[in-house]
mmCIF file of all heavy atoms in Angstrom:
data_model
loop_
_atom_site.group_PDB
_atom_site.id
_atom_site.type_symbol
_atom_site.label_atom_id
_atom_site.label_comp_id
_atom_site.label_asym_id
_atom_site.label_seq_id
_atom_site.Cartn_x
_atom_site.Cartn_y
_atom_site.Cartn_z
ATOM 1 N N GLN L 1 29.472 103.234 -19.435
ATOM 2 C CA GLN L 1 29.509 101.861 -18.924
ATOM 3 C C GLN L 1 28.115 101.355 -18.574
ATOM 4 O O GLN L 1 27.768 100.248 -18.881
ATOM 5 C CB GLN L 1 30.460 101.810 -17.670
ATOM 6 C CG GLN L 1 30.575 100.397 -17.095
ATOM 7 C CD GLN L 1 31.504 99.496 -17.929
ATOM 8 O OE1 GLN L 1 32.174 99.976 -18.823
ATOM 9 N NE2 GLN L 1 31.398 98.273 -17.637
ATOM 10 N N ILE L 2 27.311 102.166 -17.906
ATOM 11 C CA ILE L 2 25.982 101.802 -17.551
ATOM 12 C C ILE L 2 25.152 101.597 -18.798
ATOM 13 O O ILE L 2 24.397 100.588 -18.851
ATOM 14 C CB ILE L 2 25.322 102.847 -16.569
ATOM 15 C CG1 ILE L 2 26.029 102.805 -15.302
ATOM 16 C CG2 ILE L 2 23.809 102.632 -16.458
ATOM 17 C CD1 ILE L 2 25.621 103.910 -14.339
ATOM 18 N N ALA L 3 25.248 102.456 -19.798
ATOM 19 C CA ALA L 3 24.515 102.291 -21.014
ATOM 20 C C ALA L 3 24.914 101.084 -21.761
ATOM 21 O O ALA L 3 24.073 100.352 -22.287
ATOM 22 C CB ALA L 3 24.720 103.524 -21.921
ATOM 23 N N LEU L 4 26.189 100.683 -21.727
ATOM 24 C CA LEU L 4 26.687 99.469 -22.332
ATOM 25 C C LEU L 4 26.076 98.229 -21.622
ATOM 26 O O LEU L 4 25.652 97.275 -22.272
ATOM 27 C CB LEU L 4 28.209 99.394 -22.327
ATOM 28 C CG LEU L 4 28.873 98.283 -23.003
ATOM 29 C CD1 LEU L 4 28.562 98.249 -24.471
ATOM 30 C CD2 LEU L 4 30.349 98.339 -22.784
ATOM 31 N N LEU L 5 26.074 98.272 -20.293
ATOM 32 C CA LEU L 5 25.519 97.120 -19.525
ATOM 33 C C LEU L 5 24.036 96.985 -19.821
ATOM 34 O O LEU L 5 23.518 95.839 -19.975
ATOM 35 C CB LEU L 5 25.711 97.383 -18.036
ATOM 36 C CG LEU L 5 27.171 97.255 -17.571
ATOM 37 C CD1 LEU L 5 27.286 97.686 -16.164
ATOM 38 C CD2 LEU L 5 27.728 95.904 -17.771
ATOM 39 N N VAL L 6 23.309 98.052 -19.903
ATOM 40 C CA VAL L 6 21.848 98.014 -20.163
ATOM 41 C C VAL L 6 21.646 97.410 -21.603
ATOM 42 O O VAL L 6 20.785 96.559 -21.812
ATOM 43 C CB VAL L 6 21.188 99.375 -20.079
ATOM 44 C CG1 VAL L 6 19.802 99.345 -20.646
ATOM 45 C CG2 VAL L 6 21.194 99.810 -18.616
ATOM 46 N N TRP L 7 22.427 97.873 -22.608
ATOM 47 C CA TRP L 7 22.335 97.393 -23.990
ATOM 48 C C TRP L 7 22.610 95.864 -24.011
ATOM 49 O O TRP L 7 21.875 95.113 -24.655
ATOM 50 C CB TRP L 7 23.249 98.135 -24.886
ATOM 51 C CG TRP L 7 23.155 97.576 -26.283
ATOM 52 C CD1 TRP L 7 22.248 97.855 -27.201
ATOM 53 C CD2 TRP L 7 24.069 96.589 -26.881
ATOM 54 N NE1 TRP L 7 22.425 97.113 -28.350
ATOM 55 C CE2 TRP L 7 23.526 96.342 -28.154
ATOM 56 C CE3 TRP L 7 25.169 95.950 -26.447
ATOM 57 C CZ2 TRP L 7 24.160 95.479 -29.061
ATOM 58 C CZ3 TRP L 7 25.735 95.080 -27.304
ATOM 59 C CH2 TRP L 7 25.280 94.835 -28.605
ATOM 60 N N VAL L 8 23.667 95.394 -23.336
ATOM 61 C CA VAL L 8 23.995 94.005 -23.319
ATOM 62 C C VAL L 8 22.881 93.160 -22.779
ATOM 63 O O VAL L 8 22.481 92.131 -23.300
ATOM 64 C CB VAL L 8 25.373 93.752 -22.601
ATOM 65 C CG1 VAL L 8 25.562 92.252 -22.320
ATOM 66 C CG2 VAL L 8 26.522 94.274 -23.386
ATOM 67 N N ALA L 9 22.291 93.656 -21.670
ATOM 68 C CA ALA L 9 21.247 92.892 -20.984
ATOM 69 C C ALA L 9 20.015 92.792 -21.912
ATOM 70 O O ALA L 9 19.415 91.728 -22.116
ATOM 71 C CB ALA L 9 20.857 93.562 -19.666
ATOM 72 N N LYS L 10 19.617 93.928 -22.520
ATOM 73 C CA LYS L 10 18.436 93.917 -23.439
ATOM 74 C C LYS L 10 18.696 93.069 -24.682
ATOM 75 O O LYS L 10 17.802 92.372 -25.121
ATOM 76 C CB LYS L 10 18.099 95.375 -23.832
ATOM 77 C CG LYS L 10 17.425 96.132 -22.712
ATOM 78 C CD LYS L 10 16.947 97.459 -23.201
ATOM 79 C CE LYS L 10 16.238 98.207 -22.132
ATOM 80 N NZ LYS L 10 15.697 99.508 -22.642
ATOM 81 N N ASP L 11 19.870 93.214 -25.257
ATOM 82 C CA ASP L 11 20.194 92.456 -26.454
ATOM 83 C C ASP L 11 20.237 90.969 -26.157
ATOM 84 O O ASP L 11 19.722 90.153 -26.939
ATOM 85 C CB ASP L 11 21.482 92.894 -27.080
ATOM 86 C CG ASP L 11 21.796 92.333 -28.410
ATOM 87 O OD1 ASP L 11 20.985 92.628 -29.371
ATOM 88 O OD2 ASP L 11 22.772 91.603 -28.556
ATOM 89 N N ALA L 12 20.871 90.596 -25.050
ATOM 90 C CA ALA L 12 20.911 89.171 -24.728
ATOM 91 C C ALA L 12 19.486 88.563 -24.526
ATOM 92 O O ALA L 12 19.167 87.509 -24.889
ATOM 93 C CB ALA L 12 21.783 88.961 -23.502
ATOM 94 N N LYS L 13 18.663 89.334 -23.834
ATOM 95 C CA LYS L 13 17.326 88.883 -23.633
ATOM 96 C C LYS L 13 16.523 88.820 -24.905
ATOM 97 O O LYS L 13 15.817 87.831 -25.121
ATOM 98 C CB LYS L 13 16.591 89.892 -22.602
ATOM 99 C CG LYS L 13 15.189 89.551 -22.357
ATOM 100 C CD LYS L 13 15.050 88.429 -21.348
ATOM 101 C CE LYS L 13 13.574 88.268 -20.946
ATOM 102 N NZ LYS L 13 13.373 87.115 -20.182
ATOM 103 N N ALA L 14 16.641 89.755 -25.797
ATOM 104 C CA ALA L 14 15.999 89.734 -27.084
ATOM 105 C C ALA L 14 16.445 88.567 -27.938
ATOM 106 O O ALA L 14 15.682 88.034 -28.752
ATOM 107 C CB ALA L 14 16.251 91.062 -27.797
ATOM 108 N N ARG L 15 17.689 88.169 -27.771
ATOM 109 C CA ARG L 15 18.176 87.011 -28.576
ATOM 110 C C ARG L 15 17.984 85.706 -27.920
ATOM 111 O O ARG L 15 18.365 84.648 -28.408
ATOM 112 C CB ARG L 15 19.654 87.253 -28.872
ATOM 113 C CG ARG L 15 19.888 88.457 -29.780
ATOM 114 C CD ARG L 15 21.282 88.778 -30.094
ATOM 115 N NE ARG L 15 21.383 89.966 -30.840
ATOM 116 C CZ ARG L 15 21.228 90.065 -32.197
ATOM 117 N NH1 ARG L 15 21.036 88.969 -32.910
ATOM 118 N NH2 ARG L 15 21.374 91.222 -32.799
ATOM 119 N N GLY L 16 17.273 85.708 -26.773
ATOM 120 C CA GLY L 16 16.957 84.482 -26.121
ATOM 121 C C GLY L 16 18.123 83.758 -25.336
ATOM 122 O O GLY L 16 18.086 82.593 -25.136
ATOM 123 N N MET L 17 19.094 84.542 -25.018
ATOM 124 C CA MET L 17 20.263 83.954 -24.305
ATOM 125 C C MET L 17 19.974 83.842 -22.776
ATOM 126 O O MET L 17 19.357 84.720 -22.215
ATOM 127 C CB MET L 17 21.520 84.866 -24.501
ATOM 128 C CG MET L 17 21.940 84.998 -25.934
ATOM 129 S SD MET L 17 23.233 86.185 -26.164
ATOM 130 C CE MET L 17 24.613 85.332 -25.442
ATOM 131 N N ASP L 18 20.332 82.703 -22.224
ATOM 132 C CA ASP L 18 20.055 82.454 -20.805
ATOM 133 C C ASP L 18 20.897 83.249 -19.803
ATOM 134 O O ASP L 18 20.475 83.581 -18.778
ATOM 135 C CB ASP L 18 20.124 80.943 -20.533
ATOM 136 C CG ASP L 18 19.090 80.130 -21.227
ATOM 137 O OD1 ASP L 18 17.990 80.700 -21.429
ATOM 138 O OD2 ASP L 18 19.346 78.997 -21.587
ATOM 139 N N GLY L 19 22.190 83.490 -20.193
ATOM 140 C CA GLY L 19 23.115 84.084 -19.313
ATOM 141 C C GLY L 19 23.292 85.586 -19.393
ATOM 142 O O GLY L 19 24.444 86.095 -19.387
ATOM 143 N N ALA L 20 22.223 86.296 -19.523
ATOM 144 C CA ALA L 20 22.328 87.744 -19.685
ATOM 145 C C ALA L 20 23.015 88.365 -18.508
ATOM 146 O O ALA L 20 23.860 89.359 -18.703
ATOM 147 C CB ALA L 20 20.909 88.394 -19.874
ATOM 148 N N ILE L 21 22.787 87.971 -17.293
ATOM 149 C CA ILE L 21 23.417 88.569 -16.138
ATOM 150 C C ILE L 21 24.960 88.251 -16.124
ATOM 151 O O ILE L 21 25.775 89.094 -15.827
ATOM 152 C CB ILE L 21 22.824 87.943 -14.811
ATOM 153 C CG1 ILE L 21 21.329 88.346 -14.722
ATOM 154 C CG2 ILE L 21 23.544 88.487 -13.599
ATOM 155 C CD1 ILE L 21 21.018 89.808 -14.648
ATOM 156 N N LEU L 22 25.286 87.015 -16.546
ATOM 157 C CA LEU L 22 26.723 86.714 -16.616
ATOM 158 C C LEU L 22 27.450 87.523 -17.686
ATOM 159 O O LEU L 22 28.590 87.894 -17.492
ATOM 160 C CB LEU L 22 26.867 85.231 -16.934
ATOM 161 C CG LEU L 22 26.392 84.291 -15.850
ATOM 162 C CD1 LEU L 22 26.548 82.783 -16.291
ATOM 163 C CD2 LEU L 22 27.199 84.478 -14.544
ATOM 164 N N TRP L 23 26.778 87.787 -18.805
ATOM 165 C CA TRP L 23 27.397 88.674 -19.843
ATOM 166 C C TRP L 23 27.567 90.043 -19.315
ATOM 167 O O TRP L 23 28.558 90.726 -19.540
ATOM 168 C CB TRP L 23 26.542 88.646 -21.120
ATOM 169 C CG TRP L 23 26.791 87.413 -21.907
ATOM 170 C CD1 TRP L 23 25.910 86.401 -22.141
ATOM 171 C CD2 TRP L 23 28.000 87.017 -22.603
ATOM 172 N NE1 TRP L 23 26.503 85.441 -22.935
ATOM 173 C CE2 TRP L 23 27.771 85.806 -23.228
ATOM 174 C CE3 TRP L 23 29.262 87.635 -22.681
ATOM 175 C CZ2 TRP L 23 28.772 85.178 -23.925
ATOM 176 C CZ3 TRP L 23 30.228 86.984 -23.415
ATOM 177 C CH2 TRP L 23 29.982 85.759 -24.053
ATOM 178 N N MET L 24 26.573 90.507 -18.507
ATOM 179 C CA MET L 24 26.660 91.872 -17.947
ATOM 180 C C MET L 24 27.834 91.942 -16.985
ATOM 181 O O MET L 24 28.636 92.937 -17.001
ATOM 182 C CB MET L 24 25.403 92.225 -17.181
ATOM 183 C CG MET L 24 24.257 92.651 -18.107
ATOM 184 S SD MET L 24 22.774 93.023 -17.140
ATOM 185 C CE MET L 24 23.333 94.354 -16.046
ATOM 186 N N LEU L 25 28.065 90.922 -16.173
ATOM 187 C CA LEU L 25 29.181 90.886 -15.217
ATOM 188 C C LEU L 25 30.517 90.832 -15.986
ATOM 189 O O LEU L 25 31.487 91.525 -15.568
ATOM 190 C CB LEU L 25 29.073 89.695 -14.281
ATOM 191 C CG LEU L 25 27.946 89.789 -13.230
ATOM 192 C CD1 LEU L 25 27.863 88.499 -12.484
ATOM 193 C CD2 LEU L 25 28.191 90.955 -12.303
ATOM 194 N N LEU L 26 30.551 90.074 -17.052
ATOM 195 C CA LEU L 26 31.834 90.067 -17.831
ATOM 196 C C LEU L 26 32.125 91.394 -18.486
ATOM 197 O O LEU L 26 33.267 91.873 -18.419
ATOM 198 C CB LEU L 26 31.674 88.970 -18.903
ATOM 199 C CG LEU L 26 32.908 88.767 -19.835
ATOM 200 C CD1 LEU L 26 34.019 88.101 -18.984
ATOM 201 C CD2 LEU L 26 32.578 87.886 -20.965
ATOM 202 N N VAL L 27 31.124 92.054 -19.000
ATOM 203 C CA VAL L 27 31.324 93.355 -19.575
ATOM 204 C C VAL L 27 31.626 94.417 -18.480
ATOM 205 O O VAL L 27 32.397 95.325 -18.730
ATOM 206 C CB VAL L 27 30.083 93.803 -20.429
ATOM 207 C CG1 VAL L 27 30.156 95.239 -20.874
ATOM 208 C CG2 VAL L 27 29.915 92.884 -21.614
ATOM 209 N N LEU L 28 31.123 94.207 -17.322
ATOM 210 C CA LEU L 28 31.441 95.143 -16.208
ATOM 211 C C LEU L 28 32.863 94.980 -15.768
ATOM 212 O O LEU L 28 33.575 95.985 -15.559
ATOM 213 C CB LEU L 28 30.430 94.879 -15.014
ATOM 214 C CG LEU L 28 30.660 95.743 -13.765
ATOM 215 C CD1 LEU L 28 30.356 97.186 -14.070
ATOM 216 C CD2 LEU L 28 29.810 95.210 -12.690
ATOM 217 N N CYS L 29 33.310 93.790 -15.652
ATOM 218 C CA CYS L 29 34.684 93.541 -15.132
ATOM 219 C C CYS L 29 35.735 93.793 -16.186
ATOM 220 O O CYS L 29 36.811 94.309 -15.867
ATOM 221 C CB CYS L 29 34.736 92.110 -14.645
ATOM 222 S SG CYS L 29 33.758 91.786 -13.194
ATOM 223 N N PHE L 30 35.439 93.354 -17.431
ATOM 224 C CA PHE L 30 36.419 93.522 -18.520
ATOM 225 C C PHE L 30 35.712 94.180 -19.694
ATOM 226 O O PHE L 30 35.267 93.520 -20.638
ATOM 227 C CB PHE L 30 36.957 92.183 -18.943
ATOM 228 C CG PHE L 30 37.520 91.356 -17.837
ATOM 229 C CD1 PHE L 30 36.825 90.327 -17.286
ATOM 230 C CD2 PHE L 30 38.792 91.652 -17.337
ATOM 231 C CE1 PHE L 30 37.290 89.608 -16.194
ATOM 232 C CE2 PHE L 30 39.297 90.900 -16.284
ATOM 233 C CZ PHE L 30 38.560 89.872 -15.694
ATOM 234 N N PRO L 31 35.513 95.519 -19.695
ATOM 235 C CA PRO L 31 34.630 96.153 -20.687
ATOM 236 C C PRO L 31 34.948 95.838 -22.092
ATOM 237 O O PRO L 31 34.078 95.414 -22.845
ATOM 238 C CB PRO L 31 34.807 97.683 -20.342
ATOM 239 C CG PRO L 31 35.298 97.699 -18.962
ATOM 240 C CD PRO L 31 36.053 96.473 -18.763
ATOM 241 N N LEU L 32 36.144 96.100 -22.618
ATOM 242 C CA LEU L 32 36.424 95.896 -23.994
ATOM 243 C C LEU L 32 36.449 94.420 -24.353
ATOM 244 O O LEU L 32 35.817 93.972 -25.359
ATOM 245 C CB LEU L 32 37.770 96.559 -24.342
ATOM 246 C CG LEU L 32 38.150 96.566 -25.816
ATOM 247 C CD1 LEU L 32 37.088 97.271 -26.645
ATOM 248 C CD2 LEU L 32 39.501 97.180 -26.055
ATOM 249 N N LEU L 33 37.159 93.595 -23.637
ATOM 250 C CA LEU L 33 37.210 92.156 -23.912
ATOM 251 C C LEU L 33 35.861 91.489 -23.760
ATOM 252 O O LEU L 33 35.416 90.716 -24.545
ATOM 253 C CB LEU L 33 38.187 91.497 -22.905
ATOM 254 C CG LEU L 33 38.350 89.984 -23.090
ATOM 255 C CD1 LEU L 33 38.919 89.647 -24.399
ATOM 256 C CD2 LEU L 33 39.169 89.435 -21.976
ATOM 257 N N GLY L 34 35.078 91.846 -22.713
ATOM 258 C CA GLY L 34 33.789 91.340 -22.526
ATOM 259 C C GLY L 34 32.800 91.654 -23.688
ATOM 260 O O GLY L 34 32.038 90.833 -24.160
ATOM 261 N N LEU L 35 32.880 92.916 -24.168
ATOM 262 C CA LEU L 35 32.027 93.333 -25.270
ATOM 263 C C LEU L 35 32.357 92.576 -26.560
ATOM 264 O O LEU L 35 31.519 92.126 -27.285
ATOM 265 C CB LEU L 35 32.146 94.857 -25.467
ATOM 266 C CG LEU L 35 31.277 95.421 -26.624
ATOM 267 C CD1 LEU L 35 29.780 95.225 -26.308
ATOM 268 C CD2 LEU L 35 31.580 96.869 -26.811
#
């Protein structure tokens, strides 16, 4: 779960997405659906 959160944050930042933290929270709360 931690590795997935780190990957989502880095990938969102690399793609220029503004809501990286919100995506991390979504993946944290609903792992499969969020991903």
Side-chain angles (χ1 to χ4, degrees):
Q1 182 73 14
I2 291 170
L4 184 62
L5 291 173
V6 169
W7 178 80
V8 166
K10 285 184 176 185
D11 189 64
K13 179 75 173 174
R15 294 178 185 276
M17 297 174 71
D18 292 329
I21 299 296
L22 294 175
W23 282 112
M24 283 179 58
L25 289 173
L26 183 67
V27 171
L28 178 66
C29 295
F30 308 102
L32 186 59
L33 179 63
L35 181 62

